[in-house]
Amino acid sequence: NQAWATNDLYIDHPLGEGTYTVNVTDEESKMPINLASHDQLAKLFEVLGVDPSDSDVIVDSVADWIDGDDLHLLNGAESDYYMSLSPPYRAKNAPLDRVEELLMIRGVTPEIYYGLPADEKAKQDARPGLKDLVTANAAPQVNVNTASPLMLEAWLGLDEAQVQAVVNRRDGADGVAGTDDDRPFQTIDEFVGFLGGIAQQQAGQLRQIATVSSAFFTITSTGNSGGVKRTILATLRRDGANITVRSDGVDVEFFHPESFRP
């Protein structure tokens, strides 16, 4: 509920002959892809409505991409698969440095990565993509004060009623996030106590994978002058008054290997 976190301060803000817009994304509102378990990834794709057979391929292939060997899981893929593509490349066998790497992993289509817009004719709601739901930069916990309802379900394993109760509590009486009556959780014990009636084992797990504050943020800053736009990205770690840059880039674009296939 800090003013800068609502992204209302710098929208088309004037600067010289142009304008700039700054957007801050809490990386700890997302699933830490390098640390996610098989069940957590499977739950994420279930909530997204991905076909189970496609989900099985992606979950195993992500694990194979990250692990340090060339032995593929039942539905996964290692270098022998990727070397058969055009152009060929090898499995990384190391944690992801950027979420864009997911586009190189077997089963991850552009639609799954970028998401899908709403389709009124088909009566389908918009579906978010992995690029907005997972992170390669954050700590092993998800912030219960900023996580989306989808993430509360997929990462923390909350049911629909618990998710709605958490959102209602966070947003306060007016039901709007980022306003004066917001009631963010101050401690994980407060969060666990608010859920009530959960088993001791689940409570212990929540204390391991949840947090009430964040340290990692991605800043997207776009300048516009005379119709020319330039975007700068930076992922930062905030430790009190100390800010360190974890990664940065300008006008980052990433390819999907299938686009190179004949």
Side-chain angles (χ1 to χ4, degrees):
N1 61 352
Q2 297 176 5
W4 58 267
T6 62
N7 287 314
D8 294 330
L9 293 180
Y10 300 111
I11 300 176
D12 292 330
H13 198 77
L15 178 65
E17 297 180 357
T19 62
Y20 67 91
T21 297
V22 178
N23 184 273
V24 181
T25 302
D26 181 357
E27 290 296 302
E28 286 171 80
S29 67
K30 306 175 186 179
M31 179 178 290
I33 187 69
N34 290 314
L35 303 171
S37 69
H38 178 282
D39 290 345
Q40 288 169 324
L41 280 176
K43 184 64 176 180
L44 174 61
F45 291 117
E46 177 188 332
V47 175
L48 286 175
V50 175
D51 185 274
S53 60
D54 295 331
S55 172
D56 289 343
V57 169
I58 299 172
V59 171
D60 281 1
S61 296
V62 168
D64 282 336
W65 187 268
I66 292 173
D67 67 26
D69 59 52
D70 286 319
L71 302 174
H72 64 76
L73 298 174
L74 178 62
N75 300 293
E78 287 285 1
S79 292
D80 56 348
Y81 169 81
Y82 298 113
M83 290 299 291
S84 70
L85 304 180
S86 179
Y89 54 95
R90 295 187 179 278
K92 186 175 186 181
N93 289 336
L96 280 73
D97 293 304
R98 305 182 71 95
V99 294
E100 292 94 336
E101 292 177 42
L102 287 167
L103 284 166
M104 302 182 71
I105 295 177
R106 182 186 181 192
V108 180
T109 63
E111 292 77 16
I112 291 175
Y113 180 76
Y114 291 106
L116 293 172
D119 188 333
E120 294 184 4
K121 292 183 179 180
K123 296 182 179 179
Q124 292 181 343
D125 295 331
R127 187 179 78 183
L130 293 179
K131 75 179 187 68
D132 298 315
L133 297 172
V134 303
T135 179
N137 293 293
Q141 295 90 23
V142 165
N143 187 340
V144 299
N145 289 316
T146 57
S148 67
L150 187 153
M151 198 53 56
L152 292 173
E153 184 176 354
W155 179 256
L156 299 183
L158 303 188
D159 61 33
E160 187 175 339
Q162 290 172 323
V163 169
Q164 192 58 55
V166 169
V167 172
N168 290 342
R169 150 66 193 259
R170 294 186 322 193
D171 292 350
D174 65 2
V176 179
T179 54
D180 290 340
D181 72 342
D182 286 1
R183 296 178 59 207
F185 296 96
Q186 302 298 317
T187 66
I188 285 300
D189 284 340
E190 181 187 7
F191 174 73
V192 171
F194 174 80
L195 294 176
I198 61 176
Q200 185 175 355
Q201 181 179 1
Q202 184 184 6
Q205 291 174 338
L206 288 173
R207 290 186 175 92
Q208 296 296 318
I209 63 174
T211 183
V212 295
S213 60
S214 299
F216 295 88
F217 303 88
T218 292
I219 316 300
T220 305
S221 180
T222 301
N224 188 341
S225 181
V228 177
K229 289 186 177 182
R230 178 70 70 178
T231 297
I232 297 175
L233 303 176
T235 297
L236 312 176
R237 184 179 191 277
R238 182 180 69 165
D239 181 11
N242 298 319
I243 306 294
T244 55
V245 178
R246 290 293 299 267
S247 63
D248 55 32
V250 179
D251 285 343
V252 176
E253 295 182 359
F254 211 79
F255 71 92
H256 190 278
E258 292 183 357
S259 65
F260 288 85
R261 294 182 182 179

